[in-house]
Amino acid sequence: SRMFPTTPVANIRENLPVVLDALVAPQLTEKPMVLMALATIRAETESFRPINEGRSKFNTSPNGPPFDLYDNRQDLGNQGPPDGERFRGRGFIQLTGRANYRDHGAAIGLGDELVQNPDRANEPQIAARLLASFLKSKELRIKEALLDGNLKLARKLVNGGSHGLERFEDAYRRGDALIAG
């Protein structure tokens, strides 16, 4: 809870075991990757609960329909309206885009279930497995960034930018000091 100073402890108690369990199968149990997962949750959802991405200037144009800035993002695999809203960020990691729902849904054994029913990405067990799958897909580059002490790059590898960087760095550093190597 010291890594999540504004988060209700009940949320951590409820979801931390699910997240830690999800890191076992893909072998993401070394301290840096566990801290990466937890710090990512703090940066993305803070509440330690899987949530839907909210509307913002980064995903919705002024006076535009919700998430329209994602609609035609080919880098996300979106194919036009209504893909932006349908495949908006969800879960602990804020999985975004048709391609990520397809690829990571399949990687965790759901086939195309997430493409057909994207809201399932907010189910805690699925959200935790999606977090692990996403981190696993970038594991080598994340580990290199962490070994170099480059938390900004580690965050960028997940988020694509620096959104939530202060919360991420704070959580990672707190965890690093609290958890024995």
Side-chain angles (χ1 to χ4, degrees), residues 22 27 32 35-36 44-45 52 58 60 65 91 96 126 135 151 159 164:
Q27 300 178 338
L35 291 176
M36 181 73 192
E44 296 288 350
T45 69
N52 285 333
F58 302 107
T60 303
T96 306
I126 291 174
L135 293 178
L151 296 179
N159 177 258

Side-chain angles (χ1 to χ4, degrees), residues 66-85:
F67 304 96
D68 66 323
L69 295 179
Y70 289 165
D71 280 336
N72 295 301
R73 291 262 314 264
Q74 291 187 0
D75 61 316
L76 296 175
N78 290 346
Q79 301 170 354
D83 275 7
E85 184 170 17

Side-chain angles (χ1 to χ4, degrees), residues 36 139-155 157 172:
M36 181 73 192
E139 179 182 20
L140 182 58
R141 292 185 300 167
I142 289 171
K143 282 183 173 180
E144 288 171 353
L146 295 175
L147 281 172
D148 289 342
N150 192 342
L151 296 179
K152 185 175 182 177
L153 176 57
R155 176 74 186 129
L157 289 166
Y172 192 94

Side-chain angles (χ1 to χ4, degrees), residues 41-128:
I41 291 170
R42 169 117 182 259
E44 296 288 350
T45 69
E46 185 91 31
S47 67
F48 216 114
R49 300 187 99 166
I51 61 170
N52 285 333
E53 177 180 11
R55 288 171 59 169
S56 74
K57 66 181 179 179
F58 302 107
N59 59 38
T60 303
S61 61
N63 304 315
F67 304 96
D68 66 323
L69 295 179
Y70 289 165
D71 280 336
N72 295 301
R73 291 262 314 264
Q74 291 187 0
D75 61 316
L76 296 175
N78 290 346
Q79 301 170 354
D83 275 7
E85 184 170 17
R86 182 167 172 77
F87 300 107
R88 67 185 177 273
R90 288 186 182 84
F92 289 118
I93 197 161
Q94 294 296 281
L95 191 73
T96 306
R98 178 185 285 271
N100 282 322
Y101 279 74
R102 180 193 64 229
D103 296 348
H104 293 287
I108 66 168
L110 294 178
D112 70 347
E113 173 65 20
L114 283 185
V115 173
Q116 301 306 315
N117 188 0
D119 286 328
R120 293 208 59 205
N122 276 336
E123 295 174 19
Q125 299 256 350
I126 291 174

